[in-house]
Amino acid sequence: MQRFLRLSVLLLGLFAAASSYAADAPPPALTTEDDLGPAIEQPIEFPHFRHAGDADKGGMQINCMYCHTYARRSLVAGIPPIQKCIGCHQSIESVRETPRIKKLFEYWDAKKAIPWKKVHDLPDYVRFSHERHIKRFIFQLNRPVQEVCGYCHGNVKEMTVARRSKLLSMGWCVSCHQQDHPVTDEGGTPIGNQAYWYSMHKPPVDASGIIKAKGPNDCSVCHK
Amino acid sequence: MSVSNLLENWSDFRHTHPVDDVPHNPYKWAMSIDLDACSGCNACSVACYAENNLPVVGKDKYAHGYAMHWMRIERYWDEDGRDFPDQGAQFLPMMCQQCEAAPCETVCPVGATNHTPDGINSQIYNRCIGSRYCEANCPYKVRYFNWYDYPTTDNVWPAEMNQQLNPDVTVRGKGVMEKCTFCIQRVTVAKNNAKNEGRLVHDGEVWTACQQACPTGAITFGNLVDPESKVHKQWQAQQVELAKDAQTKDKEEGGSELRGYRIFEELRPYPSVMYLERVRESAV
Amino acid sequence: MSKRHLLALFSNFDEAEAVVRELRSVRIKGFDADKDMIVKSPIEHPEVEEFLGDKPVYVQWFTLGGALTGGLLAFFLISGSQANFFSQVKGGKPIVPFPPNFVLTYEMFILGGVYISILGFLICAGLPASRSPLYSAKVSEDQVGILVQADEAASSTLKSIFIKHQALEIQEEAGK
Amino acid sequence: MMNSGSVKHLAGHPFDRRDFLKVLGWGGAAVALSGCGNGSVEDGKETVVSYVETNDYMIPSISVYFNSTCAQCDAGCSITGRIREGRVLKLEGNPNSAINRGKTCGLGQAGVQHHYNPDRVREPLLRNGDQGEAITWEKAYALIAEKLNGVSGEEIAFLTGGVSGHLKVLLGNYLDSFGSKNHFVYEAVGPAVLRAANKKSYGVEMPRFNINKAKVVLSFGADFLGAWISPVHFSQQYAQFRKGVDGQRGVLVQIESKMTLTGANADRWLVVRPGTEGILALGIINALGTATGDIAAAVKGYDKARVSKDTGVSAEQIDKIVALLKERTPSLVLAGSAAEGYAHGSQNAAAINLLNQVLGNVGKTVEAAAVVPFPQMAPATGNTFALKTLNDGLNAGKYKVLFSYAANPVFTAPGAMKFKDNLAKAGFKVAFTHYLDETAMQADLVLPLDSALEDWGTQVPEYMAEGAQINIQQPLMEKLHANTRGMGDILLALIKLRRADDYKKYDDYYAYLRAAVLQNKGALGGGVADDDTFWNETLSKGIIKLASAAHALSGKAGAAGLSLPAPSAIDAQYPLQLIPSVNASLRDGRNTNQPWLQESPDPLTTIVWDSWVEIHPRKAAELGIVEGDIVEVTGKNGSIKVQAYLFPGIHPDAISIPLGRGHEALGRYAKGYGVNPFQILDMVFDKETGELALHETRVKVSKTGSRVIVVKDEGPAGGSQMGKKIAARLPSDKVKLSEEVYYVG
Amino acid sequence: MKDISEDIAWAKINTDVLKSLENPRKLYWVILLIAIAMVGVAAGCEVYQYNTGMGVSNKNNTHVWGLYIATFIFWIGMSHSGTLLSAILHLMHADWRKPIYRFAEAMTTFSLMTAGLFVAVHLGRVWQIYYALPYPNGRQVWPNFQSPLLWDAMAIFTYLSSSILFLYVGMIPDLAICRDHLHPGWRKTLYTALSLGWEGTDRQWRNFRVTYLTIACFLIPLAVSVHSIVASDFAMSQQPGWHITSFPPYFVAGALYSGCAAIITLFIILRYVFKFEEYMTLPILKKIVRLTFAIAMVWTYLNLIEYASVWYGHDQASKDVLIQKATGVYAPFWWMMNFCGSIVPLILFFKRFQTHIPVLFAVSLLLNMGMWLERWMIVAPTFSHGYYPWTWDHDQWPSLVQWGMVFGSFGWFTLLFMVFCKVFPSVSMYEVKEMVYHRSQATKKLEVTGNLAAAGKGAH
């Protein structure tokens, strides 16, 4: 009898715990979770750490958007045209004869596009806008570029060939979208001359008068 | 968080849409279609095929009722028993009416079709499991189901043709329900541009594919909330209100001389498409 | 003091009843009729309970608890999940609508009731049980068995009572 | 939507521009819903191909827009292509053009399907028995040179559809190089009779019709909303006409024997006995009573009773029309192809034009069109008389080498003409084509063309909406197939073989075109702008607007020479008149291989993917025919079997079969769908112009006994609303349009 | 031969019933093989449909639902009679239910299992069916609880699991019998495990009785709710011909009706196949038949009410659908349904047919066909003749794939049922004993009062 009482209490407890988890589940801290994607072999082993890495580690601290120039104005970050690589590298004699650069010039001379492999690939029914996220976090909230890009792309400045290091699943996106981010300065002035509107809830105003809002929760914003 | 969220925002969650107060801000996309201008030429329908990656199902499948025309042009004859249709025919472009109280939304078991804050009845293809309840409950029968796998096994877009596919619109595989979305991909682009400039979308900034093609300009699309928009002005001039199942003007003695009406208003789906009645000359 | 089990089989309830009454009335040292006697029968027989004396059943409390938990849990779980980050707006309906949630609450009320009743039954009836030391397959056929547990000293008294009432068979636990 | 900003960015070297149209790796752009069987793309394997070099405005995922000209029909609408990652995705109207003002028709929308069509010819093909053998262009040019060697100009014939602009100039020069005058311009369903009649009545072939300024439009079979001349332009005018100039809504009365799309939109659709449109026009003139002089004399005999008897239109109805025409001015009378497809078609058209004259519309709603200041570029308009001449010549064995471009006479010539047989008599046949159509199948050498969205060119529309304009055609994307060539490039290559010195300075047709335009910079409105700026601006606008004078318009043609035959008696053997109808999207059948058009329901019958014969329900009941019966339509020149559709909008003594289907070649979406009524047309010609009288075929209809389910959008309720308020309608005296808010365009 | 209306030996009950578990007759194998073949047909259809797309079932954009949904409702309805027999009649102490309720309950369970399959078969993307399950997931998206389909899923899940539990709990004493009286082997192991150590002690019986009663009490409202929720799939929609207030009771009546008819069919089959003549006696059959007749009349009444409310109602569209049913392409089926549902049961009114097995067999099949047609006539005509005239489609005819799946579902049901009958006792032994006991007690009392010499109970 005792045994079964214990069993029942246990079962009931599990049931209650599961359901309270289901209803009250805190957003899993997915933004920090690492989920390493497959290692990818690129036609040219591009050294991100050299270009974007910190100076003390031999990097040149080039802004991500110097090369991924489309990110701030379109859905995709884009791969720069070879033109861009050549623009710098034709005057950098020191590395001219290294195998990677030689390969680059081979492509350039043949006027052939480099068949880069996709690393961060979302399903085709997802519409992810680099532009919106960059506008929001870099230009409005003034967060550092590498940090902002790193939310999704991980610590690229220490990578050679970029490798996916975040989950990029829907739940992972949501974990960030459902957090409150400031949309106004104190006193309710919109940051960056932005027009804000909210779908269902009036966003909460905190003590300093800053309004914070969640990211969009409307399915059709991200799904096409 | 959810239960506390529930309790904190109880009144929000109990808000009945669209009956209680102002439902949409700052956007409510709506349309008006002037049947007197519509010539039934089908340009809108073909434009829709081009914009929204609609598959051409072919003769056999069309015969079985698998046509995927999100926008269909219906042709009605007079029913006065005369030998010849001497008042011409009646054309009606019919597509998803983007109902405010859409019968399709409530019945979807997985929530693949929801009401957006912009007042569009969104269809999330990747969420759809194909129960087809939405179409069963649609009074207008304007939802279309992918009965076959058109992109692959049916090879609707053989090599080269597939390069025409619009990358902003998902190509639907088998088992998915689809319908007119008011060209939501165009709306999204316009909203993005407006946001960058810190403003709202202007009237006329976003056109639906059908509207853009329509040679007679019978279709007007815009933001019903914006008092300056054409569509708002038309709805206002026709005294058609969104959240009503019968318009005040129609209740007046002697009937209305305004042309605006919505189809099956009395079923209370509160459609977002207002039609303007066709006019026929009384002198001849 | 070690106890021994005795199982007696009877051909009908009348005989079994008589045995039980006698066992309850006689005082035998080392044998407590309320605790040490179990009647096994092939069918459910309400009279057995009458002559065995009033023993309460608690299953219904499990039922009540289960049903209420199920119902309440359903309502809050559903309402809570409707009010999550993705509030699915349905035109013409509030995000947390009552009629559908009540329907589901009703179903979960029953589900909880049934599940927990079964759980309660298993607990109260002591199932699954390890097999008792003495058992006869005849009990599941057509005979009524009385299993007693008594001090060794009392067993002969008990046996005589059984025999008096035309026990068809008496099984005795092997001595230890 | 329109990102006009990016269009301005066009400044840059033209070579670059073509480079930018390169297709960016679009693996990721072919969006798909991953599901069972459709592999997910999330395997990190997919490649993303970047540009080698690029310009600032080419941003992946951002669309750019380039202007060009629609080549789906000859109306000359300007289009704007939406281009993303180097692929043209969609065509919209170019708002700069007065012809279509940013609008398109369904046919125009399907232009991308012409471009991406899987059935396009990709290599030059040389006949080898029944097979086409792929050869190189060098070999093809050499072969042509060889075949032309020693052939006199008289023995060379060049058959084309309507051509204009620099292509026409180049073609003319090429023929000149042989001293050949044998340029046959053929259009199967062009308004050739109308041109002649207009020339006589108004002094110009193609005046402007201001539907938007008219209060009443009386249209004798002119399907101006469907397939007549410039439907997108007229549709826009029609929308304005419906709103009215001063709040008075325009009234459209359509008079025809088979309801067209325009007829379906009319306030009053009058069914008229086939061929008696002219009689009705004269009857109306008579009833108006305002005509004087020889006109009055000419119409004297056309009293209401006779007209009513001849045409089947009741006297009461004529009175109503007359009253309407008297009350509301200006009006506009249009003579359409339905009135012209008879042996007396020219007479019909003249009588109808006379009505315009009597009503005083000439100069008001019928206006002179602008003159194109470069006559050599003005469109060479086609007709069927040209084909007949060519056919006779072929039959007589006059031609050794025949070139064919943008025409498909094997499909569109009446079967009785035996064009296919006569074609075989030509020694060497070269077809410049996009598809292996019926004519290309008969050719000895097939040369694949660039699609209209890959090619350079200029086009001068025949129907000028406002001032004169030249349309620019430019590539909207990189060539899909390496071995196709633009028609201009081919002609340039061929002419270089003849007159190398004159043309060697032009590398390609693009260079020729650019040079030719810049040469006339002043006349083309370039002013003092430098060449590159002017050229780039021209390309960015997509059209060149020309300042030019209008033609002189005469409104006093009178009734001289007008004689209309009495309606012919019903032929006992072939009692029905066959009306081959021109469908707005399929027309003469050149676009049939575009699946959107095949699947786009015919507006009136809602039938898709097949042909049908329209029969009036009364007639059908007489013949015991129900919908879906396969009937045999037999004329003097053969018969075709086709499904029946009961259609109330047709004269009971007529039946109608749409043109455009019934291909035996062309491509997977066209071949084997429907029947080709061209094949059974009688060889009757218009007495004045020699044009083929399309509507003069007489047939009989018999059941074959088999029956099919008609594939159409309309359900079993037919066109009935079943008492529900779905497509509603109000009489005009109940509506105050002037109080409404409306927007046109 | 003695039957259970007389006093038969309890040991014989055990032997008779246990005999049915072993050494199947040839006929059993024949039926089983046919059933497997039928399931094979359905499986083939499903594979084809899964790979090619739902289009092969020949539905279309107007007729989005077809036989799958109709058959789904049919099987759900079929399940109700088990509950009726085991729960309602249990509460009413109708002891004639005892020999037959076990298989009726099994029928409930298996028809629910069959119905559940149709939900999956019907989906366009069955591989995504987990989207419809409410479980905490990484996407943080929940299904739409407003959809009657989800209520359906919930109700069916509750009903199915409760029915299985009810069936199982009621079977525990019998499993103990099996354990005690079978030779060692896999069966014995199975029964030992499943009988949970049941020994028929007073404590077990006491709690058993209360639990059984409680679940029975729950099952009744549950069964009613299940079919009224299925009715809500239609009644909650807006379509003409579906949006009818009387649908829930109408569906419930139809459910009980088809279930009773199915019980008659299975009764006759089992009686013959397992030679249960002594247990499934004609008086019991007569009682079921009378019950069926009563329910038939209730159904007929509700059916007529539905027609009447549509006919006198104000909704022209609904009226059109009704007219379409009676005169359109579906007319033969609609009239057949009315004939089978309302006219055929009148035969049961005649006493001589109430125990006439061949007639009853035929009638019960006809009744079930009528009920199946009823479901089809609810689903299809509304699609073919809905609100929007332009999309009317009167010509839709289900393809062989649909028919194959419907056909196969009967095989699936039979398969499950036949396997059940061989693994578990299909007659409740302990309850038959109770029945026999109570009857003999009653007889004894009669004998005592009538001073008749009496033997004790039992056969010894």
Side-chain angles (χ1 to χ4, degrees), chain E residues 110-129:
Chain E
F110 298 137
S111 53
L112 279 172
M113 288 180 175
T114 316
L117 285 185
F118 274 96
V119 176
V121 161
H122 152 86
L123 286 185
R125 301 211 301 165
V126 63
W127 53 92
Q128 306 284 36
I129 196 170

Side-chain angles (χ1 to χ4, degrees), chain E residues 104-151:
Chain E
E105 247 173 49
M107 194 178 93
T108 296
T109 309
F110 298 137
S111 53
L112 279 172
M113 288 180 175
T114 316
L117 285 185
F118 274 96
V119 176
V121 161
H122 152 86
L123 286 185
R125 301 211 301 165
V126 63
W127 53 92
Q128 306 284 36
I129 196 170
Y130 60 90
Y131 283 168
L133 304 180
Y135 69 100
N137 56 63
R139 299 176 295 279
Q140 307 214 24
V141 183
W142 292 86
N144 173 22
F145 294 105
Q146 300 197 24
S147 169
L149 283 190
L150 215 74
W151 313 346

Side-chain angles (χ1 to χ4, degrees), chain B residues 175-216:
Chain B
V176 177
M177 190 59 85
E178 60 185 67
K179 64 165 195 88
C180 163
T181 59
F182 267 2
C183 284
I184 197 165
Q185 66 279 10
R186 295 182 171 209
V187 174
T188 308
V189 170
K191 275 166 76 179
N192 182 57
N193 295 343
K195 235 179 168 182
N196 283 344
E197 292 166 26
R199 58 173 173 86
L200 295 181
V201 175
H202 300 312
D203 190 40
E205 195 176 347
V206 46
W207 294 54
T208 60
C210 50
Q211 178 195 17
Q212 194 164 11
C214 180
T216 58

Side-chain angles (χ1 to χ4, degrees), chain D residues 329-353:
Chain D
T329 52
S331 55
L332 173 63
V333 184
L334 298 173
S337 38
E340 291 151 8
Y342 299 96
H344 58 286
S346 289
Q347 293 294 324
N348 268 349
I352 293 161
N353 284 348

Side-chain angles (χ1 to χ4, degrees), chain B residues 34 36 42 69 75 78-79 83 86 89-90 160 163 168-169 171 205 259 261 278-280 284, chain D residues 1 31 84 87 89 122 243 249 264 268-269 601 604 618 713-714 720 726-727 729-730 732 740:
Chain B
D34 186 349
D36 197 33
N42 254 332
H69 44 24
R75 185 270 293 116
D78 288 334
E79 290 164 73
D83 259 1
D86 54 1
Q90 288 266 87
E160 281 111 52
Q163 295 200 35
D168 291 338
V169 180
V171 175
E205 195 176 347
R259 300 194 288 142
Y261 74 103
R278 194 185 186 192
V279 182
R280 277 302 158 259
V284 289
Chain D
M1 252 349 266
V31 281
R84 232 188 96 167
R87 297 182 287 136
L89 300 177
R122 295 157 197 227
K243 300 304 166 200
R249 183 175 171 279
R268 182 61 57 169
W269 179 77
L604 287 164
R618 202 203 297 157
D713 199 41
E714 163 190 75
S720 169
I726 292 172
R729 172 158 93 186
L730 278 174
S732 64
E740 282 188 7

